Structure formats: C-alpha cells, structure tokens
Amino acid sequence: MKKIFFGALALTIFAEGCSEKILGNDKSSDERVKEETKTTFVSFRIDDIDFSQKQEIVLRNAVLLARKYNIVFDLGVIAGRFETNKNAAVFRIYEENSDIFEIVAHGLTHLNPVSPTRTGEFYDATKEESIPEDIQESHIREMKEIFKKHGLREAQEIFFVPWHAGDRKTIEIAERNGYRLITMSPLPDGSRELKLGNIFATSVFLDIVYWKRSFTGEEIQHYCQSFNLLLAGDYKSIEIVMHPYNFATPESSDELIGKLMDEVAKGSLIGRKIKFGFVSQSL
C-alpha cells in the first residue's frame, strides 16, 4: 500500500461510507442515531504521457509541484506511444519519483482508428457513433499487453479513456480484460457513476483546458467554483484532469493547484472527510 498524501492532478475523489453511532440527548439511553459520514478520496492526474524526450520538462515541473504541495499524480500513459517513444532518461524521472507518480492506462494510440481526422479512439466523438466492437477489443487487449510486458500493474487495472469518449461496449470490454476502474463521459445509462460487473465507471471529473500554459485569476476562480460543486455532490469519485501543456513551466499550474487545495482547507465539505492519494488506493 502506498502512502496517502495531503494533495493530489487529474483529481480523483472516491467516497467511502462509515457509520458513527451518536447518543441522542433527548432520547432514551437505548436509542441511537446512525449518521453516515462520507470520506472523499482525492488524486490528481496528468493525461497523454508517453515519456518522450519532449516530456522531460513536463515531468520535472510536475515533480517540483508535487514536492511543494505534498501531492501525487496519476499519469495517463498512451501505450503505443510509450512503446515507441519512451526515452530511458525521461522514464527514469518516473522511476526515481515512484512515491509521487503512478502509471495508468490512457489508450493504445489516442487516435480514431476509423479516421485519423476525427476524434476518439473508442467512440467517434466527431460523428457521434460507436467504434466497431472488434476494434475496441483489439485496442484494449494490445494496450494491456504492453503494460503487462513492462510490469506496470496499475495500468492493467485503471483505464482513463482517451478524449473521455466511449460507450457501453468500451466498459464491458475493459471489464472482460480485467480493468476495475474506467473514466469516460457520458456513461451509457445517463448516470454519473455506474458499477458493471467488476468494474466501476465514472464520468465525474473537472477537465482543465488541455492547451493552457497559464491561468488567469478569473479562470482559477471558475475552476475552484466548479470543484466545489463536484465536492458538494454525493459522488464516489471525482477526477480533475490535466495535460502536459499545463506543466510547460513550474509556474504554469502552481497557483491553480494551490487554490484548489485552499478550497479543501477552507472546510467547504462539512461532515465529509477527505483522503488524498493515487487512484489505485481506492480499489
């Protein structure tokens, strides 16, 4: 079990239920009122990682922010690009900072397999139609095999779907291949969270604009407000999703992360406990 930290960039939040028995002062001593207290599990996530040379600065800046705020990052790794683009020196940054980094699956190619000019590897978000089941199956199987070959256990259990775009078949295929958690939106039944067999699916996340290299005060305020709305919901999980561009410099996301952590510190979740850590610690 890895250490739980007091912060976490895709921000994943998992809620656990715990019962407390409270004696009612105006009731007989035999009467007890059970009160449900929610514990919210939080972790940050950075998508589109392949450990190529150009991502060295991204990971080094992420390390600086992790150490500053005592937070951890789940890295959404694209398996095919990881296989072909991985730079040994860049990957060593992950290896030397395994206390703050965890690798999870983020697709095989991150490209639409029907037409590369359209969006979505597991669902055609441009035309709003499904990707054939056999193609989805082959991509998920090959994705998992790559992570298995490299001994990356969490990437064989946790799947952040590229572009957040999938359908019911995506969930079913991932579940058949041993995945236990999947993030995509929308979910097939219109809910925000869904348990299907042995897999938990969630569409509850705050998506930070992927191409932003800095954030204005107004933008940060907007994200904090959106974050609070999600925290106020009765969700088992919430994720805050970030990308490499958001770590172009050490300052790029510094204030944003700090302000998000301040929202938690303000005690905006009365009656709710918060835990921070890797996504895998929720399984």
Side-chain angles (χ1 to χ4, degrees):
M1 179 64 70
K2 294 176 180 175
K3 179 181 178 182
I4 293 179
F5 297 83
F6 290 98
L9 247 238
L11 182 52
T12 305
I13 304 174
F14 287 84
E16 306 167 342
C18 62
S19 297
E20 295 182 0
K21 293 182 178 180
I22 302 176
L23 288 176
N25 295 329
D26 59 342
K27 299 177 183 292
S28 71
S29 60
D30 291 332
E31 284 188 280
R32 286 175 172 82
V33 178
K34 290 185 178 180
E35 184 175 276
E36 187 80 1
T37 301
K38 288 288 186 179
T39 298
T40 302
F41 183 89
V42 182
S43 72
F44 284 99
R45 138 188 176 193
I46 311 173
D47 280 0
D48 300 351
I49 298 297
D50 61 8
F51 298 101
S52 59
Q53 181 64 55
K54 65 182 180 180
Q55 290 189 349
E56 179 179 2
I57 190 64
V58 170
L59 294 174
R60 293 200 182 281
N61 289 337
V63 170
L64 291 175
L65 291 173
R67 301 302 180 196
K68 177 176 180 177
Y69 290 103
N70 195 24
I71 62 177
V72 298
F73 297 107
D74 281 284
L75 304 177
V77 174
I78 304 167
R81 296 184 191 175
F82 169 70
E83 186 82 327
T84 58
N85 298 343
K86 183 185 73 170
N87 177 282
V90 177
F91 191 68
R92 196 172 302 122
I93 299 172
Y94 155 75
E95 294 176 315
E96 293 173 351
N97 294 277
S98 60
D99 59 323
I100 60 172
F101 288 140
E102 173 177 85
I103 291 176
V104 300
H106 189 49
L108 177 65
T109 65
H110 209 280
L111 300 174
N112 187 302
V114 177
S115 172
T117 62
R118 302 203 294 262
T119 298
E121 183 179 352
F122 294 90
Y123 181 84
D124 193 322
T126 304
K127 297 191 70 174
E128 297 186 353
E129 61 184 29
S130 295
I131 298 294
E133 183 177 355
D134 61 330
I135 295 178
Q136 292 198 53
E137 179 86 43
S138 66
H139 276 227
I140 289 176
R141 283 182 178 274
E142 187 175 348
M143 173 183 75
K144 184 171 182 177
E145 280 303 311
I146 289 172
F147 291 128
K148 183 177 180 180
K149 180 174 71 173
H150 291 276
L152 300 169
R153 182 176 60 83
E154 288 82 9
Q156 300 172 57
E157 297 183 339
I158 300 166
F159 180 22
F160 299 153
V161 180
W163 305 98
H164 311 304
D167 57 17
R168 187 177 186 88
K169 289 298 182 184
T170 313
I171 300 174
E172 292 173 347
I173 295 167
E175 195 267 347
R176 286 202 303 268
N177 282 275
Y179 281 92
R180 301 168 60 195
L181 187 147
I182 186 170
T183 299
M184 60 181 232
S185 181
L187 297 183
D189 63 351
S191 67
R192 301 297 299 273
E193 298 174 329
L194 173 67
K195 188 69 162 48
L196 186 64
N198 294 317
I199 195 169
F200 174 73
T202 177
S203 66
V204 185
F205 54 82
L206 177 61
D207 202 6
I208 307 300
V209 176
Y210 78 92
W211 50 266
K212 296 285 290 185
R213 291 174 168 83
S214 63
F215 299 92
T216 66
E218 185 177 355
E219 289 169 335
I220 291 172
Q221 183 179 20
H222 165 74
Y223 285 127
C224 288
Q225 291 171 344
S226 299
F227 179 38
N228 268 315
L229 288 175
L230 292 177
L231 289 174
D234 187 21
Y235 299 123
K236 180 181 179 183
S237 72
I238 305 172
E239 298 172 8
I240 294 184
V241 186
M242 302 184 78
H243 294 81
Y245 284 126
N246 304 144
F247 298 87
T249 71
E251 294 78 25
S252 293
S253 295
D254 191 332
E255 186 177 1
L256 174 61
I257 296 171
K259 293 294 185 182
L260 288 173
M261 302 312 301
D262 285 346
E263 292 303 311
V264 175
K266 288 177 184 176
S268 56
L269 298 182
I270 298 174
R272 185 181 295 246
K273 298 178 181 178
I274 300 174
K275 292 182 179 179
F276 297 91
F278 294 113
V279 176
S280 62
Q281 291 174 311
S282 70
L283 297 176

